[in-house]
Amino acid sequence: MEIQEFGKLQDDTKASLLTIENKNGMRLSMTDFGAAIVSLQVPDRDGRLVDVVLGYDKVADYETDTNAFGATIGRVGNRIAGAKFVIDGRSYALDANDGKQCLHGGFHGYHKRMWHYEVRKEECAIAFSLHSPDKDQGFPGALDIIVTYSLDEENGLHIRYFAISDDATPINMTNHTYFNLNGHDQGNIGGQEVTLGAHFFTEINDEVYPNGNIVSVKDTPLNFLEQHKIGDAIDADDIQIKRADGYDHNYVLDAYTGEIRLVGKAYAPETGIGMEIYTDQPGMQFYTGNFVGDGTKGKTGAVYHKRGGYCFETQGYPDAVHYTHFPYFFFKQKTAYEMETIYKFTVK
């Protein structure tokens, strides 16, 4: 493993770049700012290492970034309508940083914080910890969080979350890495193929958050039950596609029991790199980078554009605080929140 300097924030705080590697040469680099994935190098069909995630060369760019590249998201990921919710008759106000909605925790989400880190060399892991005080982002309860990233010897990237609060609070964390299995600098992802184990999705309104309806993917462009190219229907004449300018939808994952299972796959025919997604969560936001600004300057001289990467954000359903029929991750005092997601890489 390696620890390197990663530049400074505007207040002169120094950030670090932490790198771990498994026996196959798969390399994961992360920064303690936002507990964010900076680089993930995996072998292609010719044994060449390919960096498959979008990111930046220095921490200053993560500080000003609006895309949440590689970031750890919390306290509640995705959107909360009206930037408010009620627990036990008490209303809590949040940051309205996405129109009238709260997105990914607000203006100062966990992806905009310095995290403490511990390198666990014998486990090929990096553990990040953060203390989120009571009323942080507007949420009740002081929360202590540990997020652990590790590589196994089968080229799996494991992300494990643990949090505990001193008061009742909603928690719904996720990771916001943008993948491009041809390489982070290889442009549009329309030719890559995806399969999603989800017969339903949560329908969105004009503001791209759920309207409460759970809808079948059958006969819609959101159907990924069979593997096909992302670009096949990404510009379909369909109101759900038009509202998000592509895919930015929560999929209702099949066979949810709280246990980890295979929920999706991605594949790039050009490199032969495949990825399997495993999680114990009920939902997953499939987002195709529709709002990445054209000309975004990324790492190693790359220039990113709209739809240059895609996210698989494993999660509870967005805006679950407002819908009793959505899985709602509400944790009472001293009740532990735990979840896990695995991104496993293959070649063929």
Side-chain angles (χ1 to χ4, degrees):
M1 58 82 56
E2 301 172 4
I3 301 177
Q4 300 169 281
E5 293 183 357
F6 199 51
K8 294 181 180 180
L9 302 175
Q10 293 175 7
D11 65 0
D12 283 335
T13 300
K14 293 181 179 179
S16 297
L17 184 68
L18 317 164
T19 302
I20 54 176
E21 180 177 343
N22 72 4
K23 69 178 181 181
N24 304 316
M26 178 180 176
R27 291 171 59 87
L28 169 68
S29 295
M30 302 192 67
T31 177
D32 48 357
F33 181 74
I37 293 174
V38 174
S39 172
L40 183 62
Q41 298 180 63
V42 300
D44 68 4
R45 65 162 61 93
D46 298 318
R48 180 178 63 97
L49 287 177
V50 178
D51 185 355
V52 296
V53 303
L54 278 60
Y56 300 110
D57 283 325
K58 59 185 184 299
V59 73
D61 292 327
Y62 285 91
E63 188 174 18
T64 57
D65 173 50
T66 59
N67 299 297
F69 285 157
T72 296
I73 301 294
R75 178 173 307 191
V76 173
N78 218 301
R79 295 167 175 88
I80 294 179
K84 60 184 178 181
F85 65 95
V86 176
I87 294 179
D88 296 331
R90 184 173 180 180
S91 181
Y92 295 90
L94 312 173
D95 291 338
N97 65 324
D98 183 47
K100 296 180 180 180
Q101 283 53 254
C102 180
L103 175 65
H104 296 330
F107 293 113
H108 192 49
Y110 295 168
H111 59 298
K112 297 296 184 181
R113 313 282 179 92
M114 287 296 299
W115 292 61
H116 298 286
Y117 67 85
E118 176 189 357
V119 177
R120 301 174 180 174
K121 188 174 181 180
E122 67 283 354
E123 301 171 27
C124 199
I126 306 168
F128 293 95
S129 60
L130 181 73
H131 176 74
S132 176
D134 181 37
K135 303 303 188 296
D136 185 13
Q137 308 167 313
F139 291 98
L143 190 69
D144 288 299
I145 310 155
I146 300 174
V147 183
T148 305
Y149 292 79
S150 63
L151 300 180
D152 65 29
E153 302 302 350
E154 285 71 48
N155 286 358
L157 166 59
H158 296 247
I159 310 176
R160 297 180 178 90
Y161 303 77
F162 174 89
I164 193 162
S165 173
D166 66 359
D167 199 357
T169 190
I171 311 172
N172 184 26
M173 298 187 68
T174 192
N175 179 272
H176 209 274
T177 293
Y178 292 67
F179 295 98
N180 185 329
L181 301 185
N182 283 332
H184 76 98
D185 55 354
Q186 293 301 302
N188 192 281
I189 43 77
Q192 295 176 44
E193 300 167 2
V194 165
T195 312
L196 299 176
H199 282 76
F200 297 89
F201 69 98
T202 51
E203 192 174 51
I204 59 173
N205 58 23
D206 288 339
E207 284 75 39
V208 200
Y209 67 88
N211 60 17
N213 296 328
I214 296 176
V215 180
S216 173
V217 300
K218 185 178 180 181
D219 299 324
T220 78
L222 284 91
N223 188 343
F224 282 90
L225 290 168
E226 300 293 333
Q227 180 173 308
H228 67 83
K229 292 180 180 178
I230 295 171
D232 285 349
I234 198 169
D235 290 312
D237 186 13
D238 177 272
I239 189 61
Q240 286 295 299
I241 293 293
K242 288 180 177 298
R243 283 172 172 167
D245 196 19
Y247 298 104
D248 192 6
H249 297 79
N250 172 64
Y251 280 79
V252 176
L253 298 174
D254 296 342
Y256 172 59
T257 64
E259 300 297 321
I260 200 160
R261 78 277 189 210
L262 177 66
V263 299
K265 297 180 180 180
Y267 177 66
E270 292 88 345
T271 59
I273 297 174
M275 180 172 66
E276 299 172 346
I277 306 102
Y278 298 80
T279 190
D280 53 15
Q281 295 297 284
M284 182 166 67
Q285 192 86 0
F286 178 48
Y287 170 52
T288 46
N290 315 315
F291 305 116
V292 173
D294 283 340
T296 298
K297 295 180 180 179
K299 60 192 173 186
T300 64
V303 178
Y304 301 141
H305 300 279
K306 172 182 173 180
R307 298 178 183 169
Y310 45 88
C311 304
F312 294 111
E313 304 164 57
T314 55
Q315 60 183 9
Y317 299 177
D319 203 27
V321 294
H322 292 129
Y323 295 105
T324 57
H325 60 296
F326 283 7
Y328 178 22
F329 292 117
F330 168 73
F331 289 83
K332 296 181 179 180
Q333 183 180 16
K334 300 299 183 184
T335 303
Y337 164 83
E338 297 181 83
M339 71 92 94
E340 181 176 6
T341 294
I342 304 168
Y343 301 110
K344 183 178 179 181
F345 295 86
T346 60
V347 289
K348 68 176 180 180

